[in-house]
Amino acid sequence: MKLRRKGGPRSAAAGTAVLCGALALAGCSGSSSEPSGSAPVSTAAGGIACGKAATLNASGSTAQQYAMKYWIKTYTRACHDTTINYDGNGSGAGQKDFLHGKTAFAGSDSPLSADQVTQSKKVCTGGGHAIHLPAVAGPIAVAFHLPGVDRLILDAPTLAKIFNGQLTKWNDPVIAQLNKGAKLPAMPIRTFHRADSSGTTDNFTAYLAAVAQGAWPYAHSKEWPAKGGQAVTGSSDLATQVQRTEGAIGYVDLPYAVARMLRTVSVDTGAATPADANVIASSHAISGAKTVDTGNDVLLKLDYATKAPGAYPINAVTYEIVCNKGNKPATWPATKAFLTYIASPKGQQNLTFQGYATLPAAVVNKVRSEIGTLS
């Protein structure tokens, strides 16, 4: 899916408990109106500093696609001479596009490997290399479609067994033990996973590898490692398949679950109560992330094993990947201005209405400061 300067972020249907539960916002009524931040702005009135006229091509993470659509719409309304095309083709494809010099920046839910950073020196001229700037974060929801079941509680070992094909019926005693009182149907479990190289897959499998107590025998990877299940390309299509299929379960970034009004799993982390997939619970977990700074690089290390009350443990941080120096001269002024806007209070506001969590203020300030040093 490609995003251009026209059109706003898709809104979820009005007046449902699924939407308000996922967003977990005070006074949430499920209104389908766009966030107030998407109103037209001018450079002076909106406080957005524009770069030189340019067309920016970028690609990558589908997790940030709703946020990117919102950012592009707001920014280009203020900066009319800039056109921004974002292709949500997955984190792996976005990384490849950037490393082949096809894009001004890449969006990725997974950091580049050491070998990829070395490879980036070919496109980052003058001794530069690729760095990571956190742009947005949010929960990876485990969406399900199970008739008669409004709330489903699962823990990491059980999720691992489901996605590894060891549990095949929804009324399996292992699942029933976590959902006492629920009327689980004797229905086959139909799992869906990403077919493309995906940062969402990387973070979801990282969670399972870290917390599933040996029930997940694979390392984390952008490529789905387990056998069985149905492979679907892109977050949007995966969410659609879960929506259409009774007995389905799949992992997807929260905005896609919100847009389709999907029920999402509550995760038993060992805390007093299971954690729901919503922006507040995700923000609570992300606030405890460790910052790893190396030069201009800003990486966040998530605690998948958190047992903090009310903290949702399955999260992802999306990075914008650029060069620390040696960015394309023709597009860098516009790219720098756009990234500065993303990391500004204006760029970060209202993202919760799109289903995203809040990055710690110190991280956003650090990113904004680092952007100013890049060339």
Side-chain angles (χ1 to χ4, degrees):
M1 178 179 179
K2 295 184 179 181
L3 304 181
R4 290 183 170 83
R5 62 177 294 179
K6 294 182 179 180
R10 176 177 176 176
S11 300
T16 69
V18 176
L19 174 60
C20 288
L23 298 182
L25 299 173
C28 175
S29 63
S31 170
S32 61
S33 61
E34 291 185 359
S36 60
S38 63
V41 294
S42 67
T43 304
I48 296 176
C50 303
K52 294 180 181 178
T55 295
L56 304 182
N57 294 317
S59 64
S61 166
T62 60
Q64 72 170 6
Q65 206 154 3
Y66 284 84
M68 188 59 70
K69 197 169 187 177
Y70 166 66
W71 287 328
I72 291 173
K73 182 178 180 179
T74 305
Y75 181 84
T76 55
R77 280 183 171 177
C79 304
H80 303 291
D81 292 335
T82 300
T83 298
I84 304 172
N85 304 314
Y86 183 79
D87 186 1
N89 55 0
S91 294
Q95 290 177 353
K96 289 180 182 178
D97 287 344
F98 179 79
L99 293 174
H100 285 92
K102 296 179 179 179
T103 52
F105 64 92
S108 179
D109 312 328
S110 299
L112 297 171
S113 67
D115 287 344
Q116 287 176 312
V117 172
T118 299
Q119 184 183 344
S120 73
K121 295 178 182 180
K122 296 179 181 179
V123 294
C124 301
T125 59
H129 59 80
I131 61 166
H132 308 81
L133 302 173
V136 71
I140 299 172
V142 182
F144 68 94
H145 181 174
L146 204 52
V149 179
D150 291 331
R151 192 180 193 219
L152 182 66
I153 300 171
L154 299 172
D155 57 17
T158 305
L159 280 168
K161 291 173 184 177
I162 287 173
F163 280 94
N164 201 28
Q166 294 170 274
L167 300 179
T168 59
K169 293 282 188 179
W170 277 113
N171 64 344
D172 189 286
V174 173
I175 301 174
Q177 180 65 26
L178 292 165
N179 295 273
K180 295 177 181 178
K183 295 181 179 179
L184 298 170
M187 178 182 290
I189 298 174
R190 304 184 186 280
T191 61
F192 290 86
H193 59 267
R194 289 280 291 274
D196 48 329
S197 182
S198 162
T200 306
T201 297
D202 197 18
N203 282 277
F204 182 61
T205 56
Y207 164 75
L208 295 177
V211 191
Q213 301 172 7
W216 187 255
Y218 314 101
H220 72 88
S221 173
K222 293 193 290 292
E223 315 293 336
W224 182 252
K227 296 180 180 180
Q230 185 170 336
V232 183
T233 299
S235 295
S236 181
D237 285 349
L238 193 151
T240 297
Q241 289 301 315
V242 173
Q243 183 184 44
R244 292 175 176 173
T245 308
E246 290 191 352
I249 187 169
Y251 58 93
V252 67
D253 303 288
L254 182 64
Y256 294 92
V258 171
R260 288 160 182 77
M261 310 309 296
L262 298 175
R263 302 285 180 188
T264 59
V265 168
S266 299
V267 178
D268 184 348
T269 64
T273 57
D276 297 327
N278 62 53
V279 295
I280 291 178
S282 176
S283 297
H284 187 27
I286 291 169
S287 68
K290 303 293 185 182
T291 303
V292 181
D293 297 335
T294 306
N296 302 113
D297 224 6
V298 184
L299 294 169
L300 294 183
K301 185 176 181 180
L302 299 173
D303 180 11
Y304 295 113
T306 181
K307 294 183 180 180
Y312 183 77
I314 317 175
N315 299 290
V317 176
T318 294
Y319 301 93
E320 309 305 342
I321 298 174
V322 294
C323 301
N324 64 339
K325 57 182 177 179
N327 289 283
K328 299 176 188 246
T331 56
W332 176 240
T335 302
K336 183 175 182 178
F338 181 60
L339 295 179
T340 300
Y341 155 69
I342 286 176
S344 71
K346 186 172 185 64
Q348 290 291 309
Q349 72 182 5
N350 292 324
L351 290 181
T352 53
F353 288 97
Q354 311 299 323
Y356 295 100
T358 303
L359 283 172
V363 172
V364 177
N365 291 338
K366 170 73 172 173
V367 169
R368 194 161 57 246
S369 175
E370 291 298 341
I371 293 170
T373 70
L374 307 181
S375 62

